[in-house]
Coordinates of all heavy atoms in Angstrom, one line a residue:
M1 N -98.0 51.7 86.3 CA -98.0 53.0 86.7 C -98.4 54.0 85.6 O -99.1 54.9 85.8 CB -96.6 53.4 87.3 CG -96.4 54.7 87.8 SD -97.3 54.9 89.3 CE -96.7 56.4 89.9
Q2 N -97.9 53.6 84.4 CA -98.2 54.5 83.2 C -99.7 54.5 82.9 O -100.3 55.5 82.5 CB -97.4 54.1 82.0 CG -96.0 54.5 82.0 CD -95.3 54.0 80.8 OE1 -95.7 53.1 80.1 NE2 -94.1 54.6 80.5
S3 N -100.4 53.3 83.1 CA -101.8 53.3 82.8 C -102.6 54.1 83.8 O -103.6 54.7 83.5 CB -102.3 51.9 82.7 OG -101.6 51.0 83.6
L4 N -102.1 54.1 85.1 CA -102.8 54.9 86.1 C -102.7 56.4 85.8 O -103.6 57.2 85.9 CB -102.2 54.6 87.5 CG -102.9 55.4 88.6 CD1 -104.3 55.1 88.8 CD2 -102.1 55.2 89.9
I5 N -101.5 56.8 85.3 CA -101.3 58.2 85.0 C -102.1 58.6 83.7 O -102.7 59.6 83.7 CB -99.7 58.4 84.7 CG1 -99.0 58.3 86.1 CG2 -99.5 59.8 84.1 CD1 -97.5 58.2 85.9
G6 N -102.2 57.7 82.8 CA -103.0 57.9 81.6 C -104.5 58.0 82.0 O -105.2 58.9 81.4
L7 N -104.9 57.2 82.9 CA -106.3 57.3 83.3 C -106.6 58.6 84.0 O -107.6 59.3 83.7 CB -106.6 56.1 84.3 CG -108.0 56.1 84.9 CD1 -109.1 55.9 83.8 CD2 -108.2 55.1 86.0
I8 N -105.7 59.0 84.9 CA -105.9 60.3 85.6 C -105.9 61.5 84.6 O -106.7 62.4 84.7 CB -104.8 60.5 86.7 CG1 -105.0 59.5 87.8 CG2 -104.8 61.9 87.3 CD1 -103.9 59.4 88.8
S9 N -105.0 61.4 83.7 CA -104.9 62.4 82.7 C -106.2 62.5 81.8 O -106.7 63.6 81.5 CB -103.7 62.2 81.8 OG -103.6 63.2 80.7
S10 N -106.7 61.3 81.5 CA -107.9 61.3 80.7 C -109.1 61.8 81.5 O -110.0 62.5 80.9 CB -108.2 59.8 80.3 OG -107.2 59.3 79.4
V11 N -109.2 61.5 82.7 CA -110.3 62.0 83.6 C -110.2 63.5 83.7 O -111.2 64.2 83.6 CB -110.3 61.3 85.0 CG1 -111.2 62.0 85.9 CG2 -110.6 59.9 84.8
I12 N -109.0 64.1 83.9 CA -108.8 65.5 83.9 C -109.2 66.1 82.6 O -109.9 67.2 82.6 CB -107.4 65.9 84.3 CG1 -107.1 65.5 85.8 CG2 -107.1 67.4 84.1 CD1 -105.7 65.6 86.2
G13 N -108.8 65.5 81.5 CA -109.2 66.1 80.2 C -110.7 66.0 79.9 O -111.2 67.0 79.4
L14 N -111.3 65.0 80.4 CA -112.8 64.9 80.2 C -113.5 66.0 81.1 O -114.5 66.6 80.7 CB -113.3 63.5 80.6 CG -114.7 63.2 80.5 CD1 -115.1 63.3 79.0 CD2 -115.0 61.8 81.0
Y15 N -113.0 66.2 82.3 CA -113.5 67.2 83.2 C -113.3 68.6 82.6 O -114.2 69.4 82.7 CB -112.9 67.1 84.6 CG -113.6 67.8 85.6 CD1 -114.9 67.4 86.0 CD2 -113.1 69.0 86.2 CE1 -115.6 68.1 87.0 CE2 -113.8 69.7 87.2 CZ -115.1 69.2 87.6 OH -115.8 69.9 88.5
I16 N -112.2 68.8 81.9 CA -112.0 70.1 81.3 C -113.0 70.3 80.2 O -113.6 71.4 80.0 CB -110.5 70.2 80.7 CG1 -109.6 70.4 81.9 CG2 -110.4 71.4 79.7 CD1 -108.1 70.3 81.5
W17 N -113.3 69.3 79.4 CA -114.4 69.4 78.4 C -115.7 69.6 79.0 O -116.6 70.3 78.4 CB -114.4 68.2 77.5 CG -113.3 68.3 76.5 CD1 -112.1 67.5 76.4 CD2 -113.2 69.1 75.4 NE1 -111.3 67.9 75.4 CE2 -112.0 68.9 74.7 CE3 -114.0 70.2 74.9 CZ2 -111.6 69.6 73.6 CZ3 -113.6 70.9 73.7 CH2 -112.4 70.6 73.1
C18 N -116.0 69.1 80.1 CA -117.3 69.3 80.8 C -117.4 70.8 81.2 O -118.4 71.4 81.1 CB -117.4 68.4 82.1 SG -117.8 66.7 81.7
I19 N -116.3 71.4 81.7 CA -116.3 72.8 82.1 C -116.5 73.7 80.9 O -117.3 74.6 80.9 CB -114.9 73.1 82.8 CG1 -114.7 72.4 84.1 CG2 -114.8 74.6 83.0 CD1 -113.3 72.5 84.6
I20 N -115.9 73.3 79.8 CA -116.1 74.1 78.5 C -117.5 74.0 78.1 O -118.2 75.0 77.7 CB -115.1 73.6 77.4 CG1 -113.7 74.0 77.8 CG2 -115.5 74.2 76.1 CD1 -112.6 73.3 77.0
A21 N -118.1 72.8 78.1 CA -119.5 72.6 77.7 C -120.4 73.4 78.6 O -121.4 74.0 78.1 CB -119.8 71.2 77.6
Y22 N -120.2 73.4 79.9 CA -121.0 74.1 80.9 C -121.0 75.6 80.6 O -122.0 76.2 80.6 CB -120.4 73.8 82.3 CG -121.0 74.6 83.4 CD1 -122.3 74.3 83.9 CD2 -120.4 75.6 84.0 CE1 -122.9 75.0 84.9 CE2 -120.9 76.3 85.0 CZ -122.2 76.0 85.5 OH -122.7 76.8 86.5
A23 N -119.8 76.1 80.3 CA -119.7 77.6 80.1 C -120.4 77.9 78.8 O -121.0 79.0 78.7 CB -118.2 78.0 80.0
V24 N -120.2 77.1 77.7 CA -120.8 77.4 76.4 C -122.3 77.3 76.5 O -123.0 78.2 76.0 CB -120.2 76.5 75.3 CG1 -121.1 76.6 74.1 CG2 -118.8 76.8 75.0
I25 N -122.8 76.3 77.1 CA -124.3 76.2 77.2 C -124.9 77.3 78.1 O -125.9 77.9 77.8 CB -124.7 74.8 77.8 CG1 -124.4 73.7 76.8 CG2 -126.2 74.8 78.1 CD1 -124.6 72.3 77.3
G26 N -124.1 77.7 79.1 CA -124.6 78.8 80.0 C -124.6 80.1 79.1 O -125.6 80.9 79.3
L27 N -123.6 80.3 78.3 CA -123.6 81.5 77.4 C -124.8 81.5 76.4 O -125.5 82.5 76.1 CB -122.3 81.6 76.7 CG -121.1 82.2 77.5 CD1 -119.9 82.1 76.7 CD2 -121.4 83.6 77.9
L28 N -125.0 80.3 75.9 CA -126.1 80.1 74.9 C -127.5 80.4 75.6 O -128.4 81.0 75.0 CB -126.1 78.7 74.3 CG -124.9 78.4 73.4 CD1 -125.0 77.0 72.9 CD2 -124.9 79.4 72.2
F29 N -127.6 80.0 76.8 CA -128.8 80.3 77.6 C -129.0 81.8 77.8 O -130.0 82.3 77.7 CB -128.9 79.5 78.9 CG -129.4 78.1 78.8 CD1 -129.0 77.2 79.7 CD2 -130.3 77.7 77.9 CE1 -129.4 75.9 79.7 CE2 -130.8 76.4 77.8 CZ -130.3 75.5 78.7
S30 N -127.9 82.4 78.2 CA -128.0 83.8 78.6 C -128.2 84.7 77.4 O -128.8 85.8 77.5 CB -126.7 84.3 79.3 OG -125.6 84.2 78.4
F31 N -127.8 84.3 76.2 CA -128.1 85.1 75.0 C -129.3 84.6 74.3 O -129.6 85.1 73.1 CB -126.9 85.1 74.0 CG -125.7 85.8 74.5 CD1 -124.5 85.2 74.7 CD2 -125.8 87.2 74.8 CE1 -123.4 85.9 75.1 CE2 -124.7 87.9 75.3 CZ -123.5 87.3 75.4
N32 N -130.1 83.8 74.9 CA -131.4 83.2 74.3 C -131.2 82.6 73.0 O -132.1 82.6 72.1 CB -132.4 84.3 74.2 CG -132.9 84.7 75.6 OD1 -133.0 83.9 76.5 ND2 -133.2 86.0 75.8
I33 N -130.0 82.0 72.8 CA -129.8 81.2 71.5 C -130.3 79.8 71.7 O -130.9 79.2 70.8 CB -128.3 81.2 71.2 CG1 -127.8 82.6 70.9 CG2 -128.0 80.2 70.0 CD1 -126.3 82.7 70.7
L34 N -130.2 79.4 73.0 CA -130.7 78.0 73.3 C -131.9 78.3 74.2 O -131.9 79.1 75.2 CB -129.7 77.3 74.1 CG -129.8 75.8 74.1 CD1 -129.7 75.2 72.7 CD2 -128.7 75.2 75.0
N35 N -133.0 77.6 73.9 CA -134.3 77.8 74.7 C -134.2 77.1 76.0 O -133.9 75.9 76.1 CB -135.4 77.3 73.8 CG -136.8 77.7 74.4 OD1 -136.9 78.3 75.5 ND2 -137.8 77.3 73.7
R36 N -134.5 77.8 77.1 CA -134.6 77.2 78.4 C -135.7 76.2 78.6 O -135.8 75.4 79.5 CB -134.6 78.2 79.5 CG -133.3 78.9 79.7 CD -133.4 79.6 81.1 NE -132.1 80.3 81.3 CZ -131.1 79.9 82.0 NH1 -131.2 78.6 82.4 NH2 -130.0 80.6 82.1
Q37 N -136.7 76.2 77.7 CA -137.8 75.3 77.7 C -137.5 73.9 77.1 O -138.2 73.0 77.3 CB -139.0 75.9 77.0 CG -139.4 77.3 77.4 CD -139.7 77.4 78.9 OE1 -140.2 76.4 79.5 NE2 -139.3 78.5 79.5
S38 N -136.3 73.8 76.5 CA -135.9 72.6 75.9 C -135.5 71.6 77.0 O -134.6 71.9 77.7 CB -134.7 72.8 74.9 OG -134.2 71.6 74.5
D39 N -136.2 70.5 77.0 CA -135.9 69.5 78.0 C -134.5 68.9 78.0 O -133.9 68.8 79.0 CB -137.0 68.4 77.9 CG -136.9 67.4 79.1 OD1 -136.8 67.9 80.2 OD2 -137.0 66.2 78.8
I40 N -134.1 68.6 76.8 CA -132.8 68.0 76.6 C -131.7 68.9 77.0 O -130.7 68.6 77.7 CB -132.6 67.6 75.1 CG1 -133.1 66.2 74.9 CG2 -131.2 67.7 74.6 CD1 -132.4 65.0 75.3
A41 N -131.8 70.2 76.6 CA -130.8 71.2 76.9 C -130.7 71.4 78.4 O -129.6 71.5 79.0 CB -131.0 72.5 76.2
C42 N -131.9 71.5 79.1 CA -131.9 71.7 80.5 C -131.3 70.5 81.3 O -130.7 70.6 82.3 CB -133.3 72.0 81.0 SG -133.9 73.6 80.5
R43 N -131.6 69.3 80.8 CA -131.0 68.1 81.4 C -129.5 68.0 81.3 O -128.8 67.7 82.3 CB -131.6 66.8 80.8 CG -133.0 66.6 81.3 CD -133.6 65.3 80.6 NE -135.0 65.2 80.9 CZ -135.5 64.2 81.6 NH1 -134.7 63.3 82.2 NH2 -136.8 64.1 81.8
I44 N -129.0 68.4 80.1 CA -127.6 68.4 79.9 C -126.9 69.4 80.8 O -125.9 69.2 81.4 CB -127.2 68.6 78.4 CG1 -127.6 67.4 77.6 CG2 -125.7 68.9 78.2 CD1 -127.6 67.6 76.1
Y45 N -127.5 70.6 80.8 CA -127.0 71.7 81.6 C -127.1 71.4 83.1 O -126.1 71.7 83.9 CB -127.7 73.0 81.3 CG -127.1 74.2 82.0 CD1 -125.9 74.7 81.5 CD2 -127.7 74.9 83.0 CE1 -125.3 75.8 82.1 CE2 -127.2 75.9 83.6 CZ -125.9 76.4 83.2 OH -125.4 77.5 83.8
G46 N -128.1 70.7 83.5 CA -128.3 70.3 84.9 C -127.2 69.3 85.3 O -126.6 69.4 86.4
F47 N -126.9 68.4 84.4 CA -125.9 67.4 84.7 C -124.5 68.0 84.8 O -123.8 67.8 85.7 CB -125.9 66.3 83.6 CG -124.7 65.4 83.6 CD1 -124.7 64.4 84.6 CD2 -123.7 65.5 82.8 CE1 -123.6 63.5 84.7 CE2 -122.6 64.6 82.8 CZ -122.5 63.7 83.8
L48 N -124.2 68.9 83.8 CA -122.9 69.6 83.8 C -122.8 70.5 85.0 O -121.8 70.7 85.6 CB -122.8 70.4 82.5 CG -122.6 69.6 81.3 CD1 -122.6 70.5 80.0 CD2 -121.3 68.8 81.3
N49 N -124.0 71.1 85.4 CA -124.0 72.0 86.6 C -123.6 71.2 87.9 O -122.8 71.6 88.7 CB -125.3 72.6 86.8 CG -125.4 73.6 87.9 OD1 -124.4 74.2 88.3 ND2 -126.6 73.9 88.3
Q50 N -124.2 70.0 88.0 CA -123.8 69.1 89.1 C -122.4 68.7 89.1 O -121.8 68.4 90.2 CB -124.8 67.9 89.2 CG -126.2 68.3 89.6 CD -127.1 67.0 89.6 OE1 -126.7 66.0 89.1 NE2 -128.2 67.2 90.1
M51 N -121.8 68.5 87.9 CA -120.4 68.1 87.8 C -119.4 69.2 88.1 O -118.4 69.0 88.7 CB -120.2 67.5 86.4 CG -120.9 66.3 86.1 SD -120.2 64.9 86.9 CE -118.7 64.7 86.1
V52 N -119.7 70.4 87.6 CA -118.7 71.5 87.6 C -118.9 72.5 88.8 O -117.9 73.0 89.3 CB -118.8 72.2 86.2 CG1 -118.0 73.5 86.2 CG2 -118.5 71.3 85.1
E53 N -120.1 72.7 89.2 CA -120.4 73.7 90.2 C -119.7 73.5 91.5 O -119.2 74.5 92.1 CB -121.9 73.9 90.4 CG -122.3 75.2 91.0 CD -121.8 76.4 90.3 OE1 -121.9 76.5 89.1 OE2 -121.4 77.4 91.0
P54 N -119.6 72.3 92.0 CA -118.8 72.1 93.3 C -117.4 72.5 93.2 O -116.8 73.0 94.2 CB -118.9 70.6 93.5 CG -120.2 70.2 92.8 CD -120.2 71.0 91.6
A55 N -116.8 72.4 92.0 CA -115.4 72.9 91.9 C -115.3 74.4 91.7 O -114.3 75.0 92.1 CB -114.7 72.2 90.7
L56 N -116.3 75.0 91.1 CA -116.3 76.4 90.8 C -116.7 77.3 92.0 O -116.3 78.4 92.2 CB -117.3 76.8 89.7 CG -116.8 76.3 88.3 CD1 -117.9 76.6 87.3 CD2 -115.5 76.9 87.9
R57 N -117.5 76.7 92.9 CA -118.0 77.5 94.0 C -116.9 78.0 94.9 O -117.0 79.2 95.3 CB -119.0 76.6 94.8 CG -119.9 77.4 95.7 CD -121.0 76.5 96.4 NE -121.8 75.8 95.4 CZ -122.0 74.5 95.3 NH1 -121.4 73.7 96.1 NH2 -122.7 74.0 94.4
P58 N -115.9 77.3 95.3 CA -114.9 77.9 96.1 C -114.1 79.0 95.4 O -113.7 79.9 96.0 CB -113.9 76.7 96.5 CG -114.7 75.5 96.2 CD -115.7 75.8 95.2
L59 N -113.9 78.8 94.1 CA -113.2 79.8 93.3 C -114.0 81.1 93.2 O -113.4 82.2 93.2 CB -112.9 79.3 91.9 CG -111.8 78.2 91.8 CD1 -111.8 77.7 90.4 CD2 -110.5 78.7 92.3
R60 N -115.3 81.0 93.2 CA -116.1 82.2 93.1 C -116.1 83.0 94.4 O -116.3 84.2 94.3 CB -117.6 81.8 92.8 CG -117.7 81.3 91.3 CD -119.2 81.3 90.9 NE -119.2 80.9 89.5 CZ -119.9 79.9 89.0 NH1 -120.5 79.1 89.8 NH2 -119.9 79.6 87.7
R61 N -115.8 82.4 95.5 CA -115.6 83.1 96.7 C -114.4 83.9 96.7 O -114.3 85.0 97.4 CB -115.6 82.1 97.9 CG -117.0 81.6 98.2 CD -117.0 80.8 99.5 NE -117.8 79.7 99.4 CZ -117.5 78.4 99.6 NH1 -116.3 78.1 100.1 NH2 -118.4 77.5 99.5
I62 N -113.4 83.4 96.0 CA -112.0 84.1 96.0 C -111.9 85.1 94.8 O -111.4 86.2 95.0 CB -110.9 83.0 95.9 CG1 -111.0 82.1 97.1 CG2 -109.6 83.7 95.7 CD1 -110.1 80.9 96.9
I63 N -112.4 84.7 93.7 CA -112.2 85.5 92.5 C -113.4 86.4 92.2 O -114.5 85.9 92.1 CB -111.9 84.6 91.2 CG1 -110.7 83.8 91.4 CG2 -111.8 85.5 90.0 CD1 -110.5 82.7 90.4
P64 N -113.2 87.7 92.1 CA -114.4 88.6 91.9 C -114.9 88.5 90.5 O -114.1 88.1 89.6 CB -113.8 90.0 92.2 CG -112.3 89.9 91.9 CD -112.0 88.5 92.2
M65 N -116.1 88.9 90.3 CA -116.7 89.0 89.0 C -116.2 90.3 88.3 O -116.0 91.3 88.9 CB -118.2 89.1 89.0 CG -118.9 87.8 89.6 SD -119.1 86.6 88.3 CE -120.4 87.3 87.4
F66 N -115.9 90.2 87.0 CA -115.5 91.3 86.2 C -116.7 91.8 85.4 O -117.0 91.4 84.3 CB -114.4 91.0 85.2 CG -113.1 90.7 86.0 CD1 -112.6 89.4 86.1 CD2 -112.4 91.7 86.5 CE1 -111.4 89.1 86.7 CE2 -111.2 91.5 87.2 CZ -110.7 90.2 87.3
G67 N -117.5 92.6 86.0 CA -118.8 93.0 85.4 C -119.8 91.9 85.5 O -120.1 91.4 86.5
T68 N -120.2 91.4 84.3 CA -121.0 90.2 84.2 C -120.3 89.0 83.7 O -120.9 88.0 83.5 CB -122.2 90.5 83.2 OG1 -121.6 90.8 81.9 CG2 -123.1 91.7 83.7
V69 N -118.9 89.1 83.6 CA -118.1 88.0 83.1 C -117.6 87.2 84.3 O -117.0 87.7 85.2 CB -116.9 88.6 82.3 CG1 -116.1 87.5 81.8 CG2 -117.4 89.4 81.1
D70 N -117.8 85.9 84.2 CA -117.4 85.0 85.2 C -116.1 84.3 84.7 O -116.3 83.5 83.7 CB -118.5 84.0 85.6 CG -118.1 83.0 86.7 OD1 -117.1 83.3 87.4 OD2 -118.8 82.0 86.8
I71 N -115.0 84.5 85.2 CA -113.8 83.9 84.7 C -113.3 82.6 85.5 O -112.3 82.1 85.2 CB -112.6 84.9 84.7 CG1 -112.2 85.4 86.1 CG2 -112.9 86.0 83.8 CD1 -110.9 86.0 86.1
T72 N -114.1 82.2 86.5 CA -113.8 81.1 87.3 C -113.6 79.8 86.5 O -112.8 79.0 86.8 CB -114.7 80.9 88.4 OG1 -116.1 80.8 88.0 CG2 -114.6 82.0 89.5
P73 N -114.5 79.5 85.4 CA -114.2 78.3 84.6 C -112.8 78.4 83.9 O -112.1 77.3 83.9 CB -115.3 78.3 83.5 CG -116.4 79.1 84.2 CD -115.7 80.2 85.0
L74 N -112.4 79.5 83.5 CA -111.1 79.6 82.9 C -110.0 79.4 83.9 O -109.0 78.7 83.6 CB -110.9 81.0 82.3 CG -109.6 81.3 81.6 CD1 -109.4 80.4 80.4 CD2 -109.5 82.8 81.2
V75 N -110.1 79.9 85.1 CA -109.1 79.7 86.2 C -109.1 78.2 86.5 O -108.0 77.6 86.7 CB -109.5 80.6 87.4 CG1 -108.6 80.2 88.6 CG2 -109.3 82.0 87.0
L76 N -110.3 77.6 86.6 CA -110.3 76.1 86.9 C -109.6 75.3 85.8 O -108.9 74.4 86.1 CB -111.7 75.7 87.2 CG -111.9 74.2 87.6 CD1 -111.2 73.9 88.8 CD2 -113.4 73.9 87.7
I77 N -109.9 75.6 84.6 CA -109.2 74.9 83.5 C -107.7 75.1 83.5 O -107.0 74.1 83.4 CB -109.8 75.4 82.1 CG1 -111.2 74.9 81.9 CG2 -108.9 74.9 80.9 CD1 -111.9 75.5 80.7
L78 N -107.2 76.3 83.8 CA -105.8 76.5 83.9 C -105.2 75.7 85.1 O -104.1 75.2 84.9 CB -105.5 78.0 84.0 CG -105.8 78.8 82.8 CD1 -105.6 80.3 83.1 CD2 -104.9 78.4 81.7
A79 N -105.9 75.7 86.2 CA -105.4 74.9 87.3 C -105.4 73.4 87.0 O -104.4 72.7 87.4 CB -106.3 75.2 88.5
L80 N -106.4 72.9 86.3 CA -106.4 71.5 86.0 C -105.3 71.2 85.0 O -104.7 70.1 85.1 CB -107.7 71.1 85.4 CG -108.9 71.0 86.4 CD1 -110.2 70.8 85.8 CD2 -108.6 69.9 87.4
Q81 N -105.0 72.1 84.0 CA -103.9 71.8 83.1 C -102.6 71.9 83.8 O -101.7 71.1 83.5 CB -104.0 72.8 81.9 CG -105.1 72.5 81.0 CD -105.2 73.5 79.8 OE1 -104.7 74.6 79.9 NE2 -105.7 73.1 78.7
F82 N -102.5 72.7 84.8 CA -101.2 72.8 85.6 C -101.1 71.5 86.4 O -100.0 70.9 86.4 CB -101.3 74.0 86.5 CG -100.1 74.1 87.4 CD1 -98.8 74.4 86.9 CD2 -100.2 73.8 88.8 CE1 -97.7 74.5 87.7 CE2 -99.1 73.9 89.6 CZ -97.9 74.3 89.1
L83 N -102.1 71.0 86.9 CA -102.1 69.7 87.7 C -101.7 68.6 86.7 O -100.9 67.7 87.1 CB -103.5 69.4 88.3 CG -103.6 68.1 89.0 CD1 -102.7 68.1 90.3 CD2 -105.1 67.9 89.4
Q84 N -102.3 68.6 85.5 CA -102.0 67.5 84.6 C -100.5 67.6 84.2 O -99.8 66.5 84.1 CB -102.8 67.8 83.3 CG -103.1 66.6 82.5 CD -104.1 66.9 81.4 OE1 -104.4 68.0 81.0 NE2 -104.8 65.8 81.0
S85 N -99.9 68.7 84.0 CA -98.5 68.8 83.6 C -97.6 68.4 84.8 O -96.6 67.8 84.6 CB -98.1 70.2 83.2 OG -98.3 71.1 84.2
L86 N -98.1 68.7 86.1 CA -97.3 68.3 87.2 C -97.3 66.8 87.3 O -96.3 66.2 87.7 CB -97.9 68.9 88.5 CG -97.5 70.3 88.9 CD1 -98.3 70.7 90.2 CD2 -96.0 70.4 89.1
I87 N -98.4 66.1 87.1 CA -98.5 64.7 87.1 C -97.5 64.1 86.1 O -96.8 63.1 86.4 CB -100.0 64.2 86.9 CG1 -100.8 64.6 88.0 CG2 -100.0 62.7 86.6 CD1 -102.3 64.3 87.8
Y88 N -97.5 64.6 84.9 CA -96.6 64.1 83.9 C -95.1 64.3 84.3 O -94.3 63.5 84.0 CB -96.9 64.7 82.5 CG -98.0 64.1 81.8 CD1 -99.0 64.9 81.3 CD2 -98.1 62.7 81.6 CE1 -100.1 64.3 80.6 CE2 -99.1 62.1 80.9 CZ -100.2 62.9 80.4 OH -101.2 62.3 79.8
E89 N -94.9 65.5 84.9 CA -93.5 65.8 85.2 C -93.0 64.8 86.3 O -91.9 64.3 86.2 CB -93.4 67.2 85.7 CG -92.0 67.7 86.1 CD -92.0 69.1 86.6 OE1 -92.8 69.9 86.2 OE2 -91.1 69.4 87.4
Y90 N -93.8 64.7 87.4 CA -93.4 63.8 88.5 C -93.4 62.3 88.1 O -92.7 61.5 88.6 CB -94.2 64.0 89.7 CG -93.8 65.3 90.4 CD1 -94.7 66.4 90.4 CD2 -92.5 65.5 90.9 CE1 -94.3 67.6 91.0 CE2 -92.1 66.7 91.4 CZ -93.1 67.7 91.5 OH -92.7 68.9 92.1
A91 N -94.3 61.9 87.2 CA -94.4 60.6 86.7 C -93.2 60.3 85.8 O -92.6 59.1 85.9 CB -95.6 60.3 85.9
G92 N -92.7 61.2 85.1 CA -91.4 61.0 84.3 C -90.2 60.8 85.2 O -89.3 60.0 84.9
R93 N -90.2 61.4 86.4 CA -89.1 61.2 87.3 C -89.2 59.8 88.0 O -88.2 59.2 88.3 CB -89.2 62.2 88.4 CG -88.8 63.6 87.9 CD -88.8 64.6 89.0 NE -88.5 65.9 88.5 CZ -88.6 67.0 89.3 NH1 -88.9 66.9 90.5 NH2 -88.4 68.2 88.7
L94 N -90.4 59.3 88.1 CA -90.6 58.0 88.8 C -90.3 56.9 87.8 O -89.9 55.8 88.2 CB -92.0 57.8 89.3 CG -92.4 58.7 90.5 CD1 -93.9 58.5 90.8 CD2 -91.6 58.4 91.7
L95 N -90.5 57.1 86.5 CA -90.3 56.0 85.5 C -88.9 56.0 85.0 O -88.0 56.3 85.0 CB -91.3 56.2 84.4 CG -92.7 56.1 84.8 CD1 -93.6 56.4 83.6 CD2 -93.1 54.8 85.4

């Protein structure tokens, strides 16, 4: 049971890092620090987009934009960390 909880926690942690990388690369693209013509950068961003966007899309329908700032990645990270702490809390009760 502990190894399953550890695996789930690791997957959630990895997904959180994917969200962070997605947001950072998006900012680097928007400020023209990273060139959109770079094949490697576009491939990485495309992969992260396919991983993260399905989870962000429903949140974007609910949470409004604050000017040009999109806070949905932050909300998703907070929700995932809350889920992670819930898993640890209930797993502690089971063990």
Side-chain angles (χ1 to χ4, degrees):
M1 184 70 166
Q2 285 180 340
S3 32
L4 179 64
I5 293 167
L7 177 67
I8 292 171
S9 177
S10 296
V11 168
I12 291 173
L14 184 62
Y15 195 69
I16 288 173
W17 281 109
C18 286
I19 296 168
I20 293 169
Y22 172 76
V24 168
I25 292 174
L27 284 173
L28 293 176
F29 275 153
S30 66
F31 288 122
N32 289 326
I33 296 171
L34 202 63
N35 189 0
R36 285 198 181 265
Q37 306 304 323
S38 171
D39 187 44
I40 274 283
C42 286
R43 285 178 189 248
I44 292 171
Y45 188 70
F47 171 75
L48 292 172
N49 187 21
Q50 289 179 347
M51 294 287 293
V52 173
E53 197 59 38
L56 291 176
R57 199 172 300 123
L59 289 175
R60 287 193 177 125
R61 286 189 217 129
I62 298 169
I63 300 171
M65 293 278 287
F66 292 106
T68 59
V69 178
D70 183 18
I71 63 165
T72 53
L74 178 64
V75 172
L76 183 58
I77 288 171
L78 290 174
L80 287 171
Q81 286 181 334
F82 178 72
L83 176 67
Q84 205 171 23
S85 66
L86 277 178
I87 289 172
Y88 280 128
E89 183 179 332
Y90 288 114
R93 290 182 185 173
L94 293 175
L95 298 176

